[in-house]
Amino acid sequence: NGLFTILGKAFAPAVDRKKGLHGYRFSFDLGDTSAKFAYGGNRDTGLLTFPGDACHQIRDWEKLVAYLRDSLNAHLTRLDLAADDFEGRHSVDDAVELYRAGLFNAGGRKPKISQRGNWLEPDGTGRTFYIGKRDSGKLLRVYEKGMQFGIPWHPWTRTEVEFHNVDRIIPWEAV
């Protein structure tokens, strides 16, 4: 009840999905959003997930964080952050150059990298550059978002970082 008061009408009602989610036995769609709640997992835990489009519908992040942190003693297991560059001022090629300059080294070691798309002869369908690994809890993804939507040579670039609570605590201040 307290959660829906904070989230607002867009997130109600909770509709039973009649299946599990990410290892949880029960799950619910939250209103007309892409947010989901699941429970029935290990150690009596639950999962609350807000994909990007659901985040836009949260009215008061400070109130939500305070409720989750202080009332429910919740913690963050994953946090994805994204920045859109519609003009392409910070391109995929720029991310490659920053990597080559050693600006992503952690503890003196270069992180793993991988690429997707046509890097030898770019063809307007888009490329993605990955730095880090999900398994280690930090992954940076820089990709040509406009081209992902089928607009050849569109300059829109998205930079995303994915944090997992692997060997780290994700602080609530990051939200």
Side-chain angles (χ1 to χ4, degrees):
N1 190 17
L3 180 62
F4 289 109
T5 301
I6 294 167
L7 288 176
K9 293 178 184 175
F11 291 88
V15 178
D16 191 343
R17 298 177 69 230
K18 310 264 191 244
K19 61 182 178 179
L21 177 71
H22 302 306
Y24 290 89
R25 196 163 158 214
F26 307 100
S27 66
F28 300 84
D29 290 321
L30 301 183
D32 292 327
T33 71
S34 57
K36 296 185 181 359
F37 172 72
Y39 73 95
N42 292 332
R43 296 172 289 209
D44 294 322
T45 62
L47 167 77
L48 185 58
T49 180
F50 297 104
D53 58 335
C55 289
H56 291 285
Q57 298 181 56
I58 295 173
R59 297 178 313 203
D60 190 337
W61 277 100
E62 287 182 25
K63 211 180 253 187
L64 177 60
V65 165
Y67 179 76
L68 295 172
R69 181 191 61 219
D70 303 335
S71 298
L72 298 181
N73 195 29
H75 63 275
L76 298 169
T77 58
R78 176 174 170 177
L79 178 66
D80 294 7
L81 304 170
D84 286 311
D85 176 1
F86 297 107
E87 287 83 35
R89 291 185 204 143
H90 306 284
S91 70
V92 170
D93 294 317
D94 293 334
V96 171
E97 290 309 311
L98 293 171
Y99 172 81
R100 286 185 172 150
L103 297 178
F104 293 100
N105 294 355
R109 292 173 295 162
K110 279 188 163 187
K112 299 279 185 193
I113 60 168
S114 61
Q115 306 84 35
R116 267 209 188 132
N118 192 341
W119 284 78
L120 296 179
E121 296 178 15
D123 56 9
T125 59
R127 301 169 299 155
T128 304
F129 185 54
Y130 299 91
I131 303 172
K133 297 185 316 182
R134 252 192 191 134
D135 297 349
S136 69
K138 288 187 290 188
L139 175 66
L140 178 71
R141 179 184 305 109
V142 182
Y143 59 102
E144 295 165 328
K145 184 73 175 173
M147 291 185 227
Q148 178 194 30
F149 282 131
I151 309 167
W153 309 113
H154 194 285
W156 179 8
T157 303
R158 176 171 286 173
T159 301
E160 299 174 347
V161 64
E162 193 177 300
F163 293 107
H164 294 261
N165 66 338
V166 176
D167 297 327
R168 74 185 47 81
I169 294 172
I170 303 171
W172 281 103
E173 291 79 15
V175 176

